mmCIF file of all heavy atoms in Angstrom:
data_model
loop_
_atom_site.group_PDB
_atom_site.id
_atom_site.type_symbol
_atom_site.label_atom_id
_atom_site.label_comp_id
_atom_site.label_asym_id
_atom_site.label_seq_id
_atom_site.Cartn_x
_atom_site.Cartn_y
_atom_site.Cartn_z
ATOM 1 N N ASN A 40 9.797 10.637 -1.683
ATOM 2 C CA ASN A 40 8.929 11.726 -1.161
ATOM 3 C C ASN A 40 7.492 11.543 -1.730
ATOM 4 O O ASN A 40 6.894 12.515 -2.179
ATOM 5 C CB ASN A 40 9.502 13.046 -1.524
ATOM 6 C CG ASN A 40 8.742 14.183 -0.664
ATOM 7 O OD1 ASN A 40 8.279 14.012 0.435
ATOM 8 N ND2 ASN A 40 8.696 15.378 -1.297
ATOM 9 N N LYS A 41 7.001 10.296 -1.683
ATOM 10 C CA LYS A 41 5.592 10.068 -2.146
ATOM 11 C C LYS A 41 4.790 9.448 -1.020
ATOM 12 O O LYS A 41 5.415 8.977 0.030
ATOM 13 C CB LYS A 41 5.625 9.042 -3.309
ATOM 14 C CG LYS A 41 6.283 9.589 -4.539
ATOM 15 C CD LYS A 41 6.215 8.519 -5.664
ATOM 16 C CE LYS A 41 6.783 9.034 -6.928
ATOM 17 N NZ LYS A 41 6.702 8.024 -8.091
ATOM 18 N N LEU A 42 3.487 9.334 -1.170
ATOM 19 C CA LEU A 42 2.621 8.614 -0.351
ATOM 20 C C LEU A 42 2.523 7.119 -0.825
ATOM 21 O O LEU A 42 2.800 6.889 -2.053
ATOM 22 C CB LEU A 42 1.231 9.194 -0.279
ATOM 23 C CG LEU A 42 1.051 10.547 0.321
ATOM 24 C CD1 LEU A 42 -0.459 10.980 0.166
ATOM 25 C CD2 LEU A 42 1.442 10.495 1.873
ATOM 26 N N TYR A 71 -1.929 8.957 -13.153
ATOM 27 C CA TYR A 71 -1.948 9.727 -11.908
ATOM 28 C C TYR A 71 -1.333 8.969 -10.708
ATOM 29 O O TYR A 71 -0.478 9.474 -10.003
ATOM 30 C CB TYR A 71 -3.348 10.239 -11.551
ATOM 31 C CG TYR A 71 -3.303 11.289 -10.519
ATOM 32 C CD1 TYR A 71 -3.158 12.633 -10.890
ATOM 33 C CD2 TYR A 71 -3.310 11.024 -9.159
ATOM 34 C CE1 TYR A 71 -3.149 13.713 -9.953
ATOM 35 C CE2 TYR A 71 -3.225 11.968 -8.224
ATOM 36 C CZ TYR A 71 -3.099 13.313 -8.602
ATOM 37 O OH TYR A 71 -2.935 14.341 -7.667
ATOM 38 N N TYR A 72 -1.790 7.709 -10.581
ATOM 39 C CA TYR A 72 -1.324 6.948 -9.374
ATOM 40 C C TYR A 72 0.177 6.641 -9.504
ATOM 41 O O TYR A 72 0.946 6.609 -8.545
ATOM 42 C CB TYR A 72 -2.133 5.711 -9.255
ATOM 43 C CG TYR A 72 -3.461 5.951 -8.465
ATOM 44 C CD1 TYR A 72 -4.477 6.602 -9.017
ATOM 45 C CD2 TYR A 72 -3.554 5.567 -7.137
ATOM 46 C CE1 TYR A 72 -5.688 6.820 -8.302
ATOM 47 C CE2 TYR A 72 -4.705 5.810 -6.416
ATOM 48 C CZ TYR A 72 -5.815 6.427 -7.075
ATOM 49 O OH TYR A 72 -6.921 6.671 -6.286
ATOM 50 N N HIS A 75 2.328 9.791 -8.617
ATOM 51 C CA HIS A 75 2.195 10.391 -7.312
ATOM 52 C C HIS A 75 2.398 9.439 -6.159
ATOM 53 O O HIS A 75 2.630 9.868 -5.010
ATOM 54 C CB HIS A 75 0.874 11.138 -7.152
ATOM 55 C CG HIS A 75 0.733 12.350 -8.027
ATOM 56 N ND1 HIS A 75 0.266 12.225 -9.318
ATOM 57 C CD2 HIS A 75 1.135 13.596 -7.875
ATOM 58 C CE1 HIS A 75 0.205 13.420 -9.871
ATOM 59 N NE2 HIS A 75 0.748 14.317 -9.059
ATOM 60 N N PHE A 76 2.282 8.124 -6.426
ATOM 61 C CA PHE A 76 2.289 7.226 -5.246
ATOM 62 C C PHE A 76 3.223 5.963 -5.552
ATOM 63 O O PHE A 76 3.446 5.636 -6.690
ATOM 64 C CB PHE A 76 0.838 6.690 -4.984
ATOM 65 C CG PHE A 76 -0.159 7.706 -4.831
ATOM 66 C CD1 PHE A 76 -1.157 7.915 -5.764
ATOM 67 C CD2 PHE A 76 -0.188 8.468 -3.619
ATOM 68 C CE1 PHE A 76 -2.075 8.958 -5.560
ATOM 69 C CE2 PHE A 76 -1.120 9.484 -3.425
ATOM 70 C CZ PHE A 76 -2.041 9.723 -4.416
ATOM 71 N N PHE A 105 -4.098 5.638 2.107
ATOM 72 C CA PHE A 105 -3.008 6.520 1.643
ATOM 73 C C PHE A 105 -2.095 6.769 2.874
ATOM 74 O O PHE A 105 -2.550 7.332 3.893
ATOM 75 C CB PHE A 105 -3.535 7.783 1.100
ATOM 76 C CG PHE A 105 -4.326 7.621 -0.123
ATOM 77 C CD1 PHE A 105 -5.694 7.382 -0.124
ATOM 78 C CD2 PHE A 105 -3.778 7.658 -1.412
ATOM 79 C CE1 PHE A 105 -6.465 7.174 -1.178
ATOM 80 C CE2 PHE A 105 -4.522 7.472 -2.571
ATOM 81 C CZ PHE A 105 -5.807 7.232 -2.483
ATOM 82 N N ILE A 106 -0.878 6.206 2.807
ATOM 83 C CA ILE A 106 0.023 6.240 3.940
ATOM 84 C C ILE A 106 1.258 7.011 3.712
ATOM 85 O O ILE A 106 1.805 6.864 2.517
ATOM 86 C CB ILE A 106 0.450 4.713 4.282
ATOM 87 C CG1 ILE A 106 -0.839 3.860 4.348
ATOM 88 C CG2 ILE A 106 1.257 4.668 5.571
ATOM 89 C CD1 ILE A 106 -1.755 4.136 5.482
ATOM 90 N N ASN A 107 1.810 7.760 4.654
ATOM 91 C CA ASN A 107 3.069 8.448 4.320
ATOM 92 C C ASN A 107 4.223 7.625 4.645
ATOM 93 O O ASN A 107 4.088 6.406 5.092
ATOM 94 C CB ASN A 107 3.103 9.819 5.150
ATOM 95 C CG ASN A 107 3.076 9.622 6.685
ATOM 96 O OD1 ASN A 107 3.638 8.582 7.146
ATOM 97 N ND2 ASN A 107 2.808 10.649 7.366
ATOM 98 N N GLU A 112 -1.350 6.982 8.504
ATOM 99 C CA GLU A 112 -2.468 7.128 7.513
ATOM 100 C C GLU A 112 -2.838 8.603 7.428
ATOM 101 O O GLU A 112 -3.074 9.325 8.405
ATOM 102 C CB GLU A 112 -3.698 6.336 7.992
ATOM 103 C CG GLU A 112 -4.876 6.492 7.135
ATOM 104 C CD GLU A 112 -6.120 5.951 7.775
ATOM 105 O OE1 GLU A 112 -6.014 4.929 8.517
ATOM 106 O OE2 GLU A 112 -7.257 6.386 7.466
ATOM 107 N N VAL A 113 -2.978 9.128 6.143
ATOM 108 C CA VAL A 113 -3.418 10.440 5.930
ATOM 109 C C VAL A 113 -4.756 10.557 5.264
ATOM 110 O O VAL A 113 -5.462 11.613 5.267
ATOM 111 C CB VAL A 113 -2.338 11.289 5.112
ATOM 112 C CG1 VAL A 113 -1.018 11.285 5.856
ATOM 113 C CG2 VAL A 113 -2.168 10.684 3.698
ATOM 114 N N HIS A 114 -5.183 9.522 4.605
ATOM 115 C CA HIS A 114 -6.500 9.577 3.853
ATOM 116 C C HIS A 114 -6.937 8.148 3.578
ATOM 117 O O HIS A 114 -6.158 7.180 3.479
ATOM 118 C CB HIS A 114 -6.396 10.338 2.559
ATOM 119 C CG HIS A 114 -7.603 10.890 2.059
ATOM 120 N ND1 HIS A 114 -8.474 11.613 2.746
ATOM 121 C CD2 HIS A 114 -8.231 10.712 0.838
ATOM 122 C CE1 HIS A 114 -9.556 11.973 2.062
ATOM 123 N NE2 HIS A 114 -9.389 11.417 0.862
ATOM 124 N N ARG A 115 -8.236 7.965 3.346
ATOM 125 C CA ARG A 115 -8.772 6.634 2.945
ATOM 126 C C ARG A 115 -10.138 6.806 2.389
ATOM 127 O O ARG A 115 -10.833 7.828 2.591
ATOM 128 C CB ARG A 115 -8.856 5.746 4.192
ATOM 129 C CG ARG A 115 -9.991 5.988 5.170
ATOM 130 C CD ARG A 115 -10.356 4.824 6.062
ATOM 131 N NE ARG A 115 -9.292 4.400 6.836
ATOM 132 C CZ ARG A 115 -9.186 3.194 7.420
ATOM 133 N NH1 ARG A 115 -10.112 2.298 7.163
ATOM 134 N NH2 ARG A 115 -8.138 2.835 8.098
ATOM 135 N N PHE A 125 -12.205 8.162 -8.402
ATOM 136 C CA PHE A 125 -11.010 7.528 -7.890
ATOM 137 C C PHE A 125 -9.812 8.407 -8.054
ATOM 138 O O PHE A 125 -8.944 8.388 -7.152
ATOM 139 C CB PHE A 125 -10.820 6.147 -8.656
ATOM 140 C CG PHE A 125 -9.931 5.228 -8.054
ATOM 141 C CD1 PHE A 125 -10.108 4.741 -6.756
ATOM 142 C CD2 PHE A 125 -8.716 4.802 -8.686
ATOM 143 C CE1 PHE A 125 -9.256 3.827 -6.132
ATOM 144 C CE2 PHE A 125 -7.818 3.912 -8.101
ATOM 145 C CZ PHE A 125 -8.129 3.416 -6.867
ATOM 146 N N ILE A 126 -9.717 9.119 -9.109
ATOM 147 C CA ILE A 126 -8.590 10.050 -9.354
ATOM 148 C C ILE A 126 -8.765 11.217 -8.332
ATOM 149 O O ILE A 126 -7.788 11.723 -7.738
ATOM 150 C CB ILE A 126 -8.506 10.588 -10.747
ATOM 151 C CG1 ILE A 126 -8.161 9.376 -11.682
ATOM 152 C CG2 ILE A 126 -7.533 11.709 -10.982
ATOM 153 C CD1 ILE A 126 -8.250 9.688 -13.206
ATOM 154 N N GLN A 127 -10.025 11.676 -8.141
ATOM 155 C CA GLN A 127 -10.214 12.777 -7.194
ATOM 156 C C GLN A 127 -9.833 12.489 -5.766
ATOM 157 O O GLN A 127 -9.173 13.302 -5.057
ATOM 158 C CB GLN A 127 -11.631 13.251 -7.199
ATOM 159 C CG GLN A 127 -11.941 14.433 -6.352
ATOM 160 C CD GLN A 127 -11.153 15.714 -6.812
ATOM 161 O OE1 GLN A 127 -11.248 16.075 -7.987
ATOM 162 N NE2 GLN A 127 -10.438 16.256 -5.908
ATOM 163 N N PHE A 128 -10.136 11.237 -5.309
ATOM 164 C CA PHE A 128 -9.763 10.850 -4.049
ATOM 165 C C PHE A 128 -8.206 10.810 -3.876
ATOM 166 O O PHE A 128 -7.668 11.188 -2.848
ATOM 167 C CB PHE A 128 -10.148 9.375 -3.746
ATOM 168 C CG PHE A 128 -11.591 9.283 -3.339
ATOM 169 C CD1 PHE A 128 -12.548 8.398 -3.937
ATOM 170 C CD2 PHE A 128 -12.054 10.057 -2.281
ATOM 171 C CE1 PHE A 128 -13.837 8.266 -3.583
ATOM 172 C CE2 PHE A 128 -13.421 9.948 -1.892
ATOM 173 C CZ PHE A 128 -14.236 9.124 -2.577
ATOM 174 N N ALA A 129 -7.490 10.437 -4.922
ATOM 175 C CA ALA A 129 -5.993 10.475 -4.999
ATOM 176 C C ALA A 129 -5.517 11.918 -4.885
ATOM 177 O O ALA A 129 -4.581 12.193 -4.193
ATOM 178 C CB ALA A 129 -5.498 9.777 -6.170
ATOM 179 N N MET A 130 -6.159 12.823 -5.553
ATOM 180 C CA MET A 130 -5.811 14.236 -5.541
ATOM 181 C C MET A 130 -5.959 14.793 -4.170
ATOM 182 O O MET A 130 -5.230 15.611 -3.579
ATOM 183 C CB MET A 130 -6.596 15.062 -6.569
ATOM 184 C CG MET A 130 -6.211 14.627 -8.039
ATOM 185 S SD MET A 130 -7.315 15.402 -9.285
ATOM 186 C CE MET A 130 -6.865 17.160 -9.088
ATOM 187 N N ASP A 131 -7.115 14.390 -3.542
ATOM 188 C CA ASP A 131 -7.398 14.834 -2.109
ATOM 189 C C ASP A 131 -6.412 14.349 -1.191
ATOM 190 O O ASP A 131 -5.907 15.116 -0.263
ATOM 191 C CB ASP A 131 -8.788 14.332 -1.702
ATOM 192 C CG ASP A 131 -9.944 15.039 -2.345
ATOM 193 O OD1 ASP A 131 -9.699 16.076 -3.086
ATOM 194 O OD2 ASP A 131 -11.079 14.522 -2.305
ATOM 195 N N ALA A 132 -5.924 13.161 -1.421
ATOM 196 C CA ALA A 132 -4.836 12.494 -0.527
ATOM 197 C C ALA A 132 -3.585 13.341 -0.629
ATOM 198 O O ALA A 132 -2.810 13.512 0.373
ATOM 199 C CB ALA A 132 -4.613 11.092 -0.911
ATOM 200 N N GLY A 133 -3.298 13.872 -1.807
ATOM 201 C CA GLY A 133 -2.123 14.632 -2.006
ATOM 202 C C GLY A 133 -2.238 16.114 -1.458
ATOM 203 O O GLY A 133 -1.142 16.774 -1.447
ATOM 204 N N ASP A 134 -3.407 16.514 -1.230
ATOM 205 C CA ASP A 134 -3.632 17.913 -0.717
ATOM 206 C C ASP A 134 -3.837 17.849 0.801
ATOM 207 O O ASP A 134 -4.854 17.405 1.293
ATOM 208 C CB ASP A 134 -4.889 18.520 -1.403
ATOM 209 C CG ASP A 134 -5.101 19.949 -1.049
ATOM 210 O OD1 ASP A 134 -4.489 20.451 -0.056
ATOM 211 O OD2 ASP A 134 -5.929 20.560 -1.730
ATOM 212 N N PRO A 135 -2.879 18.392 1.547
ATOM 213 C CA PRO A 135 -2.958 18.384 3.000
ATOM 214 C C PRO A 135 -4.220 19.000 3.530
ATOM 215 O O PRO A 135 -4.715 18.614 4.644
ATOM 216 C CB PRO A 135 -1.761 19.229 3.405
ATOM 217 C CG PRO A 135 -0.718 19.071 2.315
ATOM 218 C CD PRO A 135 -1.611 19.010 1.116
ATOM 219 N N ASN A 136 -4.881 19.880 2.827
ATOM 220 C CA ASN A 136 -6.081 20.601 3.293
ATOM 221 C C ASN A 136 -7.368 19.711 2.981
ATOM 222 O O ASN A 136 -8.438 20.029 3.515
ATOM 223 C CB ASN A 136 -6.273 21.871 2.578
ATOM 224 C CG ASN A 136 -5.149 22.909 2.928
ATOM 225 O OD1 ASN A 136 -4.839 22.962 4.109
ATOM 226 N ND2 ASN A 136 -4.633 23.649 1.920
ATOM 227 N N LYS A 137 -7.222 18.660 2.211
ATOM 228 C CA LYS A 137 -8.393 17.816 1.901
ATOM 229 C C LYS A 137 -8.246 16.430 2.480
ATOM 230 O O LYS A 137 -9.180 15.615 2.286
ATOM 231 C CB LYS A 137 -8.580 17.774 0.332
ATOM 232 C CG LYS A 137 -8.990 19.123 -0.242
ATOM 233 C CD LYS A 137 -9.220 18.985 -1.690
ATOM 234 C CE LYS A 137 -9.704 20.335 -2.285
ATOM 235 N NZ LYS A 137 -9.928 20.269 -3.746
ATOM 236 N N ARG A 138 -7.125 16.131 3.111
ATOM 237 C CA ARG A 138 -6.925 14.802 3.661
ATOM 238 C C ARG A 138 -7.910 14.596 4.822
ATOM 239 O O ARG A 138 -8.325 15.554 5.498
ATOM 240 C CB ARG A 138 -5.533 14.607 4.127
ATOM 241 C CG ARG A 138 -4.556 14.536 2.999
ATOM 242 C CD ARG A 138 -3.077 14.565 3.526
ATOM 243 N NE ARG A 138 -2.154 14.493 2.436
ATOM 244 C CZ ARG A 138 -0.819 14.689 2.684
ATOM 245 N NH1 ARG A 138 -0.359 14.766 3.879
ATOM 246 N NH2 ARG A 138 0.044 14.566 1.596
ATOM 247 N N LEU A 139 -8.076 13.357 5.187
ATOM 248 C CA LEU A 139 -8.963 12.952 6.256
ATOM 249 C C LEU A 139 -8.501 13.636 7.569
ATOM 250 O O LEU A 139 -9.283 14.104 8.387
ATOM 251 C CB LEU A 139 -9.081 11.419 6.445
ATOM 252 C CG LEU A 139 -10.100 10.883 7.482
ATOM 253 C CD1 LEU A 139 -11.442 11.398 7.178
ATOM 254 C CD2 LEU A 139 -10.070 9.346 7.491
ATOM 255 N N THR A 140 -7.261 13.661 7.779
ATOM 256 C CA THR A 140 -6.696 14.197 9.043
ATOM 257 C C THR A 140 -7.201 15.711 9.068
ATOM 258 O O THR A 140 -7.406 16.246 10.203
ATOM 259 C CB THR A 140 -5.137 14.118 9.110
ATOM 260 O OG1 THR A 140 -4.664 14.494 7.721
ATOM 261 C CG2 THR A 140 -4.743 12.730 9.401
ATOM 262 N N ALA A 141 -7.048 16.468 7.941
ATOM 263 C CA ALA A 141 -7.421 17.872 7.958
ATOM 264 C C ALA A 141 -8.915 17.978 8.150
ATOM 265 O O ALA A 141 -9.420 18.910 8.852
ATOM 266 C CB ALA A 141 -6.993 18.454 6.639
ATOM 267 N N LEU A 142 -9.715 17.072 7.549
ATOM 268 C CA LEU A 142 -11.169 17.161 7.697
ATOM 269 C C LEU A 142 -11.630 16.929 9.173
ATOM 270 O O LEU A 142 -12.534 17.635 9.642
ATOM 271 C CB LEU A 142 -11.848 16.083 6.777
ATOM 272 C CG LEU A 142 -11.603 16.215 5.243
ATOM 273 C CD1 LEU A 142 -12.350 15.084 4.556
ATOM 274 C CD2 LEU A 142 -12.003 17.530 4.820
ATOM 275 N N LYS A 143 -10.936 16.053 9.814
ATOM 276 C CA LYS A 143 -11.199 15.818 11.231
ATOM 277 C C LYS A 143 -10.906 17.093 12.042
ATOM 278 O O LYS A 143 -11.652 17.467 12.984
ATOM 279 C CB LYS A 143 -10.378 14.625 11.820
ATOM 280 C CG LYS A 143 -10.905 13.288 11.319
ATOM 281 C CD LYS A 143 -10.208 12.175 12.000
ATOM 282 C CE LYS A 143 -10.762 10.807 11.710
ATOM 283 N NZ LYS A 143 -10.089 9.686 12.413
ATOM 284 N N GLN A 144 -9.797 17.709 11.763
ATOM 285 C CA GLN A 144 -9.450 18.955 12.439
ATOM 286 C C GLN A 144 -10.472 20.031 12.150
ATOM 287 O O GLN A 144 -10.841 20.843 13.169
ATOM 288 C CB GLN A 144 -8.032 19.428 12.060
ATOM 289 C CG GLN A 144 -6.932 18.528 12.503
ATOM 290 C CD GLN A 144 -5.600 18.913 11.884
ATOM 291 O OE1 GLN A 144 -5.461 19.845 11.041
ATOM 292 N NE2 GLN A 144 -4.462 18.203 12.243
ATOM 293 N N LYS A 145 -10.985 20.169 10.996
ATOM 294 C CA LYS A 145 -11.984 21.133 10.644
ATOM 295 C C LYS A 145 -13.275 20.873 11.429
ATOM 296 O O LYS A 145 -13.952 21.755 11.913
ATOM 297 C CB LYS A 145 -12.389 21.011 9.167
ATOM 298 C CG LYS A 145 -13.122 22.215 8.562
ATOM 299 C CD LYS A 145 -13.199 22.073 7.107
ATOM 300 C CE LYS A 145 -14.087 23.184 6.494
ATOM 301 N NZ LYS A 145 -14.194 23.118 5.008
ATOM 302 N N PHE A 155 -20.487 18.781 4.133
ATOM 303 C CA PHE A 155 -19.192 18.376 4.733
ATOM 304 C C PHE A 155 -19.394 17.293 5.764
ATOM 305 O O PHE A 155 -18.608 16.263 5.807
ATOM 306 C CB PHE A 155 -18.533 19.676 5.418
ATOM 307 C CG PHE A 155 -17.412 19.282 6.286
ATOM 308 C CD1 PHE A 155 -16.121 19.122 5.711
ATOM 309 C CD2 PHE A 155 -17.541 19.113 7.654
ATOM 310 C CE1 PHE A 155 -15.032 18.802 6.586
ATOM 311 C CE2 PHE A 155 -16.474 18.876 8.506
ATOM 312 C CZ PHE A 155 -15.167 18.683 7.970
ATOM 313 N N ASN A 158 -20.129 13.827 4.223
ATOM 314 C CA ASN A 158 -18.974 13.208 3.684
ATOM 315 C C ASN A 158 -17.985 12.678 4.647
ATOM 316 O O ASN A 158 -17.571 11.528 4.595
ATOM 317 C CB ASN A 158 -18.229 14.353 2.784
ATOM 318 C CG ASN A 158 -16.948 13.759 2.218
ATOM 319 O OD1 ASN A 158 -16.958 12.780 1.503
ATOM 320 N ND2 ASN A 158 -15.841 14.479 2.436
ATOM 321 N N LEU A 162 -16.769 8.770 5.449
ATOM 322 C CA LEU A 162 -15.339 8.421 5.317
ATOM 323 C C LEU A 162 -14.946 7.651 6.624
ATOM 324 O O LEU A 162 -13.968 6.953 6.529
ATOM 325 C CB LEU A 162 -14.554 9.713 5.115
ATOM 326 C CG LEU A 162 -14.481 10.228 3.789
ATOM 327 C CD1 LEU A 162 -13.754 11.658 3.796
ATOM 328 C CD2 LEU A 162 -13.901 9.307 2.726
#
Side-chain angles (χ1 to χ4, degrees):
N40 195 27
K41 292 181 177 180
L42 293 176
Y71 194 87
Y72 276 75
H75 294 89
F76 307 108
F105 296 88
I106 311 294
N107 67 23
E112 177 189 333
V113 300
H114 200 54
R115 76 159 61 200
F125 195 60
I126 293 174
Q127 184 60 55
F128 281 127
M130 293 173 70
D131 290 347
D134 184 344
N136 295 316
K137 293 183 179 179
R138 292 174 179 172
L139 185 55
T140 46
L142 300 182
K143 285 186 174 183
Q144 290 172 0
K145 191 174 180 180
F155 168 84
N158 177 56
L162 284 173

